[in-house]
Amino acid sequence: MAQPKLSDGSVKLFQNSLPEDVGVFDREYTLQFLSIKKVGNNANAPISAPPERYRIIISDGQHYMQAMLATQLNELVQENLITKNTIAVIEKLTCNYVQEKRLVIILALRVLEHTADKIGDPQQIEPADQPIDSPAVVKQAQATSTSGASTPQAAPAIASASRPQAPANNGRQGNIFPIEGLSPYQNGWTIKARVTQKSDIKTWSNARGEGKLFNVTLMDDSGEIRGTGFNLVVDELYPKLEEGKVYFISKARVNLAKKKFSNVNNDYELSFERNTEVEECHETTNLPTIKYNFVPLNALEGLNKDAICDVIGVIKETSPLSEITSTKQNRQILKRDLTLVDKSEFSVRLTLWGKQAEQYNVPESNPIIAFKGVKVGDFGGRSLSMFSSSTMQINPDIEECFSLRGWYDNLGTDQTFKAHSNVGGSTSTFGFNRAEIRSLDEIKQAGYGMPEKPETFSTRATIMHIKNDNISYPACPTPNCNKKVVDVNGSWRCEKCNQSFGAPEHRYIMSMAVADYSGQAWLQGFNDVGTAVFGISANELLEIKAHPAHSIGDDAYQVWYISHPPSELQGRGNGNARFIVFCMG
DNA sequence: CCCCCCCC
């Protein structure tokens, strides 16, 4: 098979790109990974360590340079889906700029193939022609951004001295960082981000004191982050930041996010300080747009309760505004229910709260709305609910919206839709739906160790260890008997069938330790489990082990043993764990 | 430094 051709010259293009090129590397680049290395946590890292990051040396066959993998792609490394010498198509990237250094951040990729060798003889790329802090580049960057004419394919033009001097930019720093690239160890950054959500001003009073605050959700093409301002900063920034507008923001503090309190998909959050700079971006091109990862409505049952997802649908029904009393918070809350439908022929209810419920006012009867970051509930099988950090876009200018509009107007209006349903759902004491993937800790919390009756659940975990001894037993080959047979003078006797056989049928009896992010557990399983895990029957496995040349047999057995279990149990690839019945013990 | 995201 012909080797894929690497994108000649792309490393040089990255290295000579300018901040204004961020977000416009809009073609795909085929590159080879020369090395992948976990970047150690900084010695000053907080104890609640931030997520690990991977540094990748990328090569186009002529040159190589450093890149970072966006943390949402860490799994690719952890599951060995990308390794040294992997050739991949980079579908989306962005770049950090510090003087003559460029740091590519890989945001999306697909693997083409794994090769044994390095392609070509790539050399380290020379420093960029134009360091970012040089006056010429600042001038060039300004000129480019106002004209909106930056082209990633073209080699960057050298700034011409005859260009008019751009206006001063209020101290904004040249290094536009992608939100995904922010961390507590980065200084001197500026983000260019859209405010997708702004809270009301909230006041609090508790044992530690009182005060006021507001928060916003900020978004660019690389990701999103929550920002919060307290007290005096509220007075300064609350009026300045408007929902929907784009800003340059710098000199905010980057803190580790307390995940349990935030629904925004970032491990960090911003704290706006007295010296934080916020400047509205008046550019008309290269502005960040909301990125979605839509889940079709029929697939919601595959998501856990409390999962966060994006959906798009036609609004089939809109309820009037109503008011409920939150018993937990002892206050009245406004709500409005929308019924969404889509091409999967399912409908689902989505609830708006408070201000969003009150202000919902859409002139047409069946608009299409895209929702980002909504919560999955299990009322009526499946339901959806807005967080204050969720966003909705009415008739967004995206392909999925056009396609949905065409479908609905032609076919959808007369369609009947299936509702999610909890009929036949679990009446289990755990309260689990067997389709929902649960973490090991959740299962334990729900009553592991003292079940009143058998419980069914699904989990996704990695096999850490399989007990090596007694992995199978000799069983009666009669269909559905499965009873253990005993060797009587070379003939295998089944007490139940009252019959003897020349050979038994070996059946697995597995005991294995599995782990996920939340904890570990011992699982017991029988023949169907062993077959799924090893991919061969117990007879076949024993044959391998019993190879006449002992060492060969043992080696081959160990190869099966080591290489097969994890991928099987995780059911990687199709998004659904293979359903394997285990007992926890 | 907040931290609720609700009801049926």
Side-chain angles (χ1 to χ4, degrees):
Chain A
M1 193 174 76
Q3 209 156 51
K5 189 173 159 9
L6 301 184
S7 300
D8 293 350
S10 51
V11 167
K12 195 163 189 181
L13 169 73
F14 303 149
Q15 180 68 357
N16 278 319
S17 66
L18 292 169
E20 275 60 32
D21 295 330
V22 165
V24 298
F25 294 111
D26 55 357
R27 47 164 286 209
E28 297 187 333
Y29 302 93
T30 303
L31 299 169
Q32 185 177 35
F33 300 155
L34 300 187
S35 85
I36 301 179
K37 195 176 169 189
K38 179 147 75 175
V39 180
N41 285 332
N42 183 307
N44 300 320
I47 294 174
S48 43
E52 55 199 25
R53 301 206 62 137
Y54 293 97
R55 188 179 67 201
I56 299 182
I57 306 298
I58 54 175
S59 160
D60 63 4
Q62 301 168 332
H63 292 104
Y64 66 83
M65 71 184 290
Q66 265 194 40
M68 297 297 293
L69 192 65
T71 51
Q72 73 264 21
L73 301 181
N74 280 359
E75 217 173 285
L76 293 174
V77 179
Q78 288 152 4
E79 302 202 356
N80 280 328
L81 297 175
I82 57 173
T83 58
K84 181 177 168 159
N85 291 335
T86 292
I87 300 171
V89 175
I90 310 305
E91 295 172 330
K92 187 149 179 51
L93 66 90
T94 183
C95 198
N96 277 0
Y97 299 88
V98 182
Q99 298 189 359
E100 80 278 6
K101 285 192 182 149
R102 304 291 187 269
L103 182 62
V104 165
I105 296 177
I106 298 171
L107 300 169
L109 67 85
R110 63 175 188 273
V111 172
L112 282 186
E113 66 176 78
H114 304 282
T115 58
D117 299 304
K118 178 166 78 171
I119 297 176
D121 181 24
Q123 305 296 307
Q124 177 155 30
I125 189 78
E126 317 88 61
D129 297 344
Q130 297 294 303
I132 291 306
D133 294 341
S134 91
V137 169
V138 173
K139 247 187 275 176
Q140 165 67 9
Q142 294 278 353
T144 310
S145 64
T146 42
S147 70
S150 98
T151 48
Q153 271 83 343
I158 304 302
S160 144
S162 65
R163 278 222 169 92
Q165 177 74 45
N169 62 1
N170 299 339
R172 165 162 81 79
Q173 299 164 65
N175 314 327
I176 302 286
F177 263 57
I179 285 174
E180 174 62 37
L182 295 179
S183 84
Y185 323 114
Q186 300 277 13
N187 287 314
W189 51 262
T190 296
I191 56 169
K192 176 174 158 183
R194 190 183 294 277
V195 174
T196 57
Q197 179 270 141
K198 181 172 86 163
S199 75
D200 292 333
I201 295 172
K202 289 179 268 191
T203 56
W204 84 88
S205 173
N206 61 27
R208 282 188 294 272
E210 57 185 52
K212 62 180 174 180
L213 73 117
F214 79 105
N215 43 54
V216 291
T217 308
L218 300 166
M219 180 222 68
D220 70 9
D221 284 343
S222 76
E224 56 182 355
I225 194 164
R226 187 167 80 153
T228 306
F230 291 94
N231 302 322
L232 289 174
V233 174
V234 176
D235 302 333
E236 195 194 324
L237 292 186
Y238 190 80
K240 199 165 181 179
L241 289 165
E242 291 180 47
E243 218 166 84
K245 288 192 174 175
V246 177
Y247 299 87
F248 295 108
I249 298 173
S250 58
K251 297 183 184 167
R253 205 169 64 200
V254 184
N255 295 323
L256 205 61
K258 293 180 188 107
K259 298 298 280 184
K260 110 178 193 197
F261 296 128
S262 173
N263 309 302
V264 175
N265 184 23
N266 200 309
D267 293 307
Y268 302 110
E269 53 188 34
L270 296 180
S271 176
F272 300 139
E273 308 293 316
R274 296 293 304 278
N275 64 340
T276 293
E277 288 172 11
V278 173
E279 181 196 347
E280 190 176 341
C281 170
H282 294 289
E283 295 167 15
T284 53
T285 56
N286 289 341
L287 297 173
T289 52
I290 297 180
K291 300 292 182 298
Y292 294 97
N293 184 14
F294 292 121
V295 175
L297 301 182
N298 68 340
L300 289 172
E301 64 185 7
L303 298 184
N304 283 350
K305 172 170 151 56
D306 299 333
I308 294 169
C309 69
D310 305 343
V311 294
I312 186 166
V314 180
I315 306 306
K316 186 85 177 162
E317 285 170 47
T318 307
S319 82
L321 191 64
S322 64
E323 199 174 51
I324 58 131
T325 305
S326 165
T327 45
K328 231 191 250 175
Q329 292 186 66
N330 195 27
R331 62 187 182 102
Q332 304 294 109
I333 300 159
L334 294 169
K335 66 163 264 190
R336 188 193 301 272
D337 288 329
L338 307 179
T339 304
L340 273 67
V341 299
D342 75 1
K343 285 184 205 176
S344 72
E345 301 179 12
F346 263 74
S347 73
V348 71
R349 199 183 79 177
L350 184 149
T351 306
L352 308 180
W353 302 99
K355 196 168 67 172
Q356 267 175 324
E358 195 177 9
Q359 291 170 359
Y360 181 85
N361 181 20
V362 178
E364 57 188 301
S365 56
N366 296 113
I368 287 165
I369 306 189
F371 296 88
K372 184 163 187 64
V374 294
K375 187 175 91 154
V376 176
D378 60 0
F379 186 73
R382 275 293 174 271
S383 57
L384 296 169
S385 175
M386 292 280 276
F387 287 120
S388 60
S389 57
S390 310
T391 62
M392 53 184 273
Q393 248 188 321
I394 297 160
N395 297 322
D397 198 8
I398 55 176
E399 179 52 37
E400 288 90 342
C401 180
F402 308 142
S403 151
L404 207 47
R405 179 87 275 157
W407 160 80
Y408 186 77
D409 292 347
N410 286 303
L411 304 164
T413 39
D414 301 322
Q415 182 89 49
T416 54
F417 295 93
K418 294 185 263 301
H420 287 281
S421 144
N422 48 10
V423 176
S426 72
T427 51
S428 85
T429 46
F430 284 16
F432 290 174
N433 170 337
R434 61 186 283 155
E436 295 170 0
I437 304 295
R438 294 289 176 167
S439 73
L440 295 172
D441 187 59
E442 277 180 287
I443 295 161
K444 290 181 185 179
Q445 297 287 339
Y448 166 55
M450 40 179 176
E452 285 157 29
K453 57 188 169 90
E455 287 284 349
T456 306
F457 58 84
S458 297
T459 191
R460 180 179 290 140
T462 303
I463 299 174
M464 308 305 286
H465 176 74
I466 300 177
K467 274 195 184 167
N468 203 351
D469 51 342
N470 287 331
I471 203 164
S472 65
Y473 68 98
C476 174
T478 307
N480 301 322
C481 174
N482 302 342
K483 190 155 176 63
K484 186 171 180 175
V485 291
V486 286
D487 185 356
V488 183
N489 302 325
S491 168
W492 297 86
R493 174 156 184 82
C494 175
E495 296 290 344
K496 189 176 160 198
C497 299
N498 197 21
Q499 254 186 293
S500 288
F501 304 91
E505 179 170 296
H506 291 278
R507 293 178 65 83
Y508 287 109
I509 174 164
M510 309 264 294
S511 184
M512 54 197 203
V514 304
D516 68 6
Y517 68 89
S518 73
Q520 70 99 40
W522 279 95
L523 301 182
Q524 317 301 324
F526 294 93
N527 201 44
D528 49 348
V529 173
T531 309
V533 167
F534 286 105
I536 55 175
S537 70
N539 274 1
E540 289 169 310
L541 187 68
L542 290 182
E543 263 173 51
I544 291 171
K545 195 181 182 186
H547 191 281
H550 255 290
S551 59
I552 295 176
D554 268 354
D555 281 355
Y557 174 77
Q558 290 298 337
V559 168
W560 274 106
Y561 197 76
I562 291 162
S563 65
H564 280 66
S567 60
E568 286 294 338
L569 188 67
Q570 289 178 68
R572 175 205 306 146
N574 62 5
N576 295 309
R578 256 167 246 218
F579 203 83
I580 303 174
V581 180
F582 290 103
C583 301
M584 277 177 105

